[in-house]
């Protein structure tokens, strides 16, 4: 299988360097498409010296237009998107490839992920639970896109991202995929790491506003299911081991010019996402 990984980019070169190296060292057939909104000559010079990357520089109206453009250019069997401040963990794509091969009826794969601080220290571990359309619509997308993969035909069937919203189109996209009958397979392993930088507070406010508007548009009876569905998900998280973990070891690119991954160990991992503390 060939992978196509799309990264939307704008003025995040320091993070992009780490992201790109985490894609390049996976040891599988992979193309990395970087859809940049005009960061400037420094990025373009670096990309030219970084083999294996396909860089496209075009102004856009936001991340989701960049993803639509990048995925339209994808040639791989399996696609995913990885933001600049995210990295794949060692061997992640090979593990995903095996899961797709073992589950020919699955159209998408989702796995566990880690949340790191800017110094690459572990803030939280997050375990995947079954993705259900109504749970997403009445709450939020409780899987991170850095650990979601899909067969290219899923996007090719008119499943573009909604460019009219700025923060929640990924949840809408997953909900529409589920509504169309696309099936998920799950990887109970850590596939990726997301860096919580603290620079996205305004985006979080916008996300809350967009989520509230989307939920208000749902039928009243669907909104009424929300509390019960959240209770079900808490039980699923409990059975998935999402509230307790032994020591966690992981390897990431800790600095923008690192050529090798750095090994980290967290003796007492926490499960709460940083904004919930």
């Amino acid at each position: 299988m060939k992978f196509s990984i799309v990264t939307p980019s704008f003025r995040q070169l320091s993070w992009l360097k780490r992201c790109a190296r985490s894609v390049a060292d996976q040891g599988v057939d992979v193309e990395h498409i970087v859809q940049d909104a005009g960061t400037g000559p420094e990025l373009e010079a670096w990309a030219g010296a970084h083999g294996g990357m396909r860089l496209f520089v075009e102004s856009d109206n936001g991340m989701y237009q960049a993803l639509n453009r990048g995925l339209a250019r994808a040639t791989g069997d399996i696609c995913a998107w990885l933001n600049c401040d995210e990295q794949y963990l060692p061997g992640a794509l090979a593990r995903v490839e095996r899961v797709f091969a073992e589950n020919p009826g699955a159209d998408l794969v989702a796995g566990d992920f880690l949340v790191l601080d800017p110094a690459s220290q572990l803030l939280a571990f997050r375990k995947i639970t079954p993705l259900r359309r109504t749970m997403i619509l009445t709450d939020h997308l409780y899987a991170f896109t850095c650990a979601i993969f899909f067969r290219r035909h899923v996007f090719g069937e008119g499943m573009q991202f909604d460019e009219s919203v700025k923060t929640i189109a990924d949840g809408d996209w997953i909900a529409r995929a589920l509504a169309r009958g696309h099936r998920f397979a799950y990887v109970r392993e850590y596939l990726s790491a997301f860096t919580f930088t603290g620079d996205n507070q305004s985006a979080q406010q916008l996300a809350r506003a967009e989520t509230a508007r989307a939920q208000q548009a749902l039928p009243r009876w669907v909104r009424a299911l929300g509390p019960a569905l959240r209770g079900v998900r808490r039980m699923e998280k409990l059975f998935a081991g999402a509230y307790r973990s032994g020591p966690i070891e992981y390897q990431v690119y800790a600095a923008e010019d690192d050529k090798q991954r750095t090994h980290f160990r967290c003796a007492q991992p926490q499960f709460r996402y940083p904004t919930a503390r």
Side-chain angles (χ1 to χ4, degrees):
M1 295 180 186
K2 178 181 178 180
F3 284 83
S4 293
I5 310 301
V6 177
T7 298
S9 164
F10 185 57
R11 297 178 180 174
Q12 292 183 295
L13 179 56
S14 175
W15 294 113
L16 176 59
K17 290 179 179 180
R18 295 170 240 207
C19 168
R21 291 190 177 103
S22 81
V23 174
D25 74 356
Q26 288 294 311
V28 298
D29 186 6
V30 58
E31 67 174 356
H32 190 188
I33 299 169
V34 176
Q35 192 73 37
D36 183 69
T39 296
E42 185 181 0
L43 182 149
E44 295 174 38
W46 177 80
H50 184 82
M53 177 186 294
R54 299 176 62 196
L55 174 66
F56 299 91
V57 180
E58 300 171 304
S59 61
D60 56 50
N61 64 14
M63 176 178 70
Y64 296 114
Q65 185 175 65
L67 285 173
N68 281 334
R69 290 173 174 173
L71 287 168
R73 291 174 162 127
T75 63
D77 307 290
I78 305 301
C79 298
W81 65 98
L82 190 69
N83 293 326
C84 291
D85 53 8
E86 299 167 342
Q87 298 185 39
Y88 289 132
L89 298 176
L93 298 189
R95 178 61 177 132
V96 170
E97 183 177 29
R98 289 196 297 273
V99 173
F100 273 113
E102 294 164 359
N103 296 272
D107 301 300
L108 303 96
V109 164
D112 303 338
F113 62 94
L114 303 175
V115 182
L116 311 181
D117 69 13
S120 300
Q121 298 296 322
L122 184 63
L123 292 175
F125 66 93
R126 307 294 284 182
K127 296 283 190 176
I128 190 66
T129 55
L131 289 161
R132 298 188 175 89
R133 177 174 177 270
T134 308
M135 282 185 174
I136 295 169
L137 294 177
T138 57
D139 195 355
H140 66 286
L141 178 60
Y142 44 91
F144 265 34
T145 58
C146 59
I148 293 178
F149 305 82
F150 55 95
R151 299 187 192 274
R152 182 156 56 96
H153 72 81
V154 175
F155 182 81
E157 294 171 353
M159 281 282 295
Q160 291 194 324
F161 291 95
D162 181 357
E163 298 173 12
S164 69
V165 294
K166 301 301 179 184
T167 63
I168 62 170
D170 44 6
D172 166 74
W173 190 86
I174 295 296
R176 284 189 285 128
L178 291 167
R180 288 184 171 214
H182 292 303
R183 293 177 51 203
F184 267 92
Y186 299 99
V187 183
R188 313 294 178 179
E189 297 178 24
Y190 297 114
L191 299 177
S192 57
F194 163 80
T195 304
F196 182 78
T197 64
D199 293 335
N200 53 352
Q201 295 301 316
S202 61
Q204 291 170 8
Q205 293 171 4
L206 178 58
R208 286 193 289 270
E210 289 188 335
T211 299
R213 286 196 295 270
Q215 291 177 356
Q216 283 301 311
L218 296 172
R220 184 175 297 178
W221 70 269
V222 175
R223 298 200 304 270
L225 292 174
L229 292 173
R230 285 189 285 276
V232 171
R233 191 161 67 85
R234 291 189 189 99
M235 291 301 298
E236 289 181 333
K237 290 175 67 176
L238 178 65
F239 289 123
Y243 296 120
R244 183 175 297 180
S245 173
I248 293 176
E249 299 187 33
Y250 57 97
Q251 297 178 41
V252 294
Y253 292 95
E256 65 175 289
D257 293 322
D258 281 0
K259 300 299 188 293
Q260 294 183 334
R261 293 176 182 263
T262 299
H263 181 270
F264 292 86
R265 183 180 189 274
C266 180
Q268 296 180 314
Q270 303 296 312
F271 71 89
R272 292 186 185 277
Y273 190 75
T275 55
R277 294 182 182 176

